[in-house]
Amino acid sequence: MSHPEVYGYVAEGFAQVREEYAAVVAEQGGQVGSQLAAYAGGRLAVDLWAGPQVSGDTLTGVYSSTKGAAAVVVALLAQEGIVEVDRPVAGYWPEFAAAGKDAITVRDVLTHRSGVIGVDGGLTAAELADDAMTARRLAGQRPYWKPGSAYGYGGFVTFAVIAEVVRRATGQSLQQMYEERVRVPYTLDLYLGLPEAQEERFLPIQRWSATPEQEAAFWANVPGPHSITGIGYGLNSTPPLDQVAFANTRAVRGNGPASSGGVGSARGLAGLYTAAVWGCNGRPPLLTPDTIGKFAMLHSTGGDLVRGKQGNYALGFQAKGLRYPSLSANAFGHDGSAGSESFADPHSGIAFGYTRRQFGFGWSYPEHDRLAAAVHHAATSD
């Protein structure tokens, strides 16, 4: 096995994290391109990268890890009493009440219990690149199941609904709120709307590597485009949504749709959760312990109608305490379909960020478990 170069820094006591990351990079043949960052006790304890063209400053598409940044904005607005999570969405946005959606609350949307996961006929990539366009299409759509009766992941549309609530409640876009209240004050390398001036730092996401036989076997078992899963992943549009091309489109990067259009680095992802829970760069935490407790609380568990066993959600975030057994019950964060991962564990004091440039075959990322466990062990060992 070759041993590709790993670059960067680890603090004292975190050497095993570097070793585990180096093993992952070697098993991937050194060609994937990735970054790993982690804060422990408020300090940057891990800052590593490897792979062709990748540096610690590289930016790439983080897909649904974007939802974590958007959820921090919602938590901040809820903390300030500007957004009420138990108020019906239609109380902010009257058009949303159409087709039996009048009683759906902000909480229902944030916990994927609204049944609003797409639209009949699908949403084009251009529509999904713009939260306002997506919201207009969703306003007249009937839910795909009785709201509140079950949950299913709205991968590309959930935070378009939330973004419209934020716009109606504040007069600003969610992206503007994130930029002004979160990214700039905490100097985070995570963007919901990448400026043209930062384009030179962006590296495109790459498709997974597989044999023709593997591809054929995989796609033969994919749910139909008009199934619940197909609708949730944008397969019911014409043509079906190309997830790789989506993040590599300038319109997506420039607009930063709140469900899936974020661009950032591992430092940016880990920094987001550090800013939210502990504060950083000399600034206090964005969120109070009470707000964190409310938003980290488990809401939707068991079978996800869209993702199957891969669900488990807190309020706007994924419940990472169920995803990674070593973490505490109130660990929270969000991953992304190209392999990014990010979370905070308030109990152990760690914030974790990981990016990779290439999709894993079948959306499989076993390295997440290894790297999360290594960081947790290093941070909690005496």
Side-chain angles (χ1 to χ4, degrees):
M1 182 183 296
S2 62
H3 294 279
E5 191 70 33
V6 168
Y7 301 92
Y9 157 87
V10 293
E12 183 178 353
F14 286 79
Q16 67 191 71
V17 177
R18 187 185 191 111
E19 293 170 6
E20 191 65 40
Y21 178 66
V24 166
V25 170
E27 290 170 18
Q28 295 170 340
Q31 298 304 303
V32 167
S34 62
Q35 302 165 322
L36 174 65
Y39 283 78
R43 61 171 180 153
L44 184 61
V46 177
D47 186 20
L48 300 171
W49 61 90
Q53 301 178 276
V54 175
S55 74
D57 295 322
T58 295
L59 303 175
T60 196
V62 299
Y63 291 84
S64 286
S65 290
T66 309
K67 292 182 176 71
V72 167
V73 172
V74 177
L76 184 60
L77 294 176
Q79 180 173 278
E80 295 172 348
I82 297 170
V83 170
E84 300 173 27
V85 297
D86 290 314
R87 184 180 178 185
V89 171
Y92 297 97
W93 173 20
E95 297 91 333
F96 188 77
K101 301 194 301 300
D102 55 296
I104 292 173
T105 65
V106 174
R107 187 185 300 272
D108 290 331
V109 178
L110 287 170
T111 57
H112 302 281
R113 305 188 72 84
S114 71
V116 181
I117 58 170
V119 301
D120 297 341
L123 289 150
T124 67
E127 287 171 325
L128 289 172
D130 186 320
D131 281 339
M133 292 177 65
T134 300
R136 283 195 291 271
R137 291 289 310 279
L138 294 170
Q141 176 65 44
R142 186 170 298 282
Y144 286 93
W145 59 86
K146 182 180 178 181
S149 65
Y151 82 100
Y153 185 54
F156 285 94
V157 305
T158 294
F159 276 90
V161 175
I162 297 301
E164 189 63 18
V165 168
V166 170
R167 188 177 73 82
R168 301 287 179 119
T170 68
Q172 290 185 285
S173 71
L174 187 150
Q175 289 80 1
Q176 289 172 313
M177 294 293 297
Y178 171 75
E179 182 73 4
E180 295 174 10
R181 301 290 305 278
V182 182
R183 197 198 70 77
V184 170
Y186 291 84
T187 61
L188 300 179
D189 218 12
L190 176 64
Y191 296 85
L192 271 63
L194 183 68
E196 287 275 5
Q198 300 293 333
E199 272 289 312
E200 63 183 20
R201 299 171 58 201
F202 178 80
L203 286 182
I205 291 289
Q206 299 170 327
R207 299 182 185 277
W208 65 47
S209 177
T211 66
E213 293 75 18
Q214 287 175 318
E215 287 280 6
F218 176 81
W219 290 107
N221 292 301
V222 168
H226 301 289
S227 67
I228 289 290
T229 298
I231 294 165
Y233 282 102
L235 302 181
N236 63 329
S237 60
T238 305
L241 184 68
D242 182 331
Q243 287 196 31
V244 178
F246 183 74
N248 291 338
T249 304
R250 173 58 199 166
V252 172
R253 296 196 298 279
N255 291 339
S259 289
S260 56
V263 171
S265 65
R267 291 174 191 154
L269 289 171
L272 170 71
Y273 289 95
T274 302
V277 181
W278 299 282
C280 61
N281 297 323
R283 297 186 64 88
L286 279 161
L287 306 178
T288 66
D290 184 58
T291 299
I292 293 166
K294 291 175 180 176
F295 275 76
M297 184 184 298
L298 289 169
H299 278 67
S300 299
T301 62
D304 181 320
L305 296 183
V306 175
R307 301 184 74 191
K309 295 180 180 179
Q310 298 183 61
N312 300 322
Y313 295 93
L315 189 57
F317 299 97
Q318 291 171 327
K320 294 302 181 181
L322 291 180
R323 172 66 180 81
Y324 302 111
S326 62
L327 302 185
S328 67
N330 65 339
F332 65 99
H334 220 291
D335 61 17
S337 62
S340 61
E341 175 63 294
S342 54
F343 61 80
D345 183 355
H347 182 75
S348 62
I350 60 174
F352 179 100
Y354 177 71
T355 68
R356 52 178 282 163
R357 283 193 62 204
Q358 184 182 48
F359 272 79
F361 179 65
W363 293 277
S364 176
Y365 305 102
E367 74 267 30
H368 287 179
D369 300 82
R370 296 166 58 180
L371 297 174
V375 168
H376 181 268
H377 181 74
T380 56
S381 295
D382 294 329

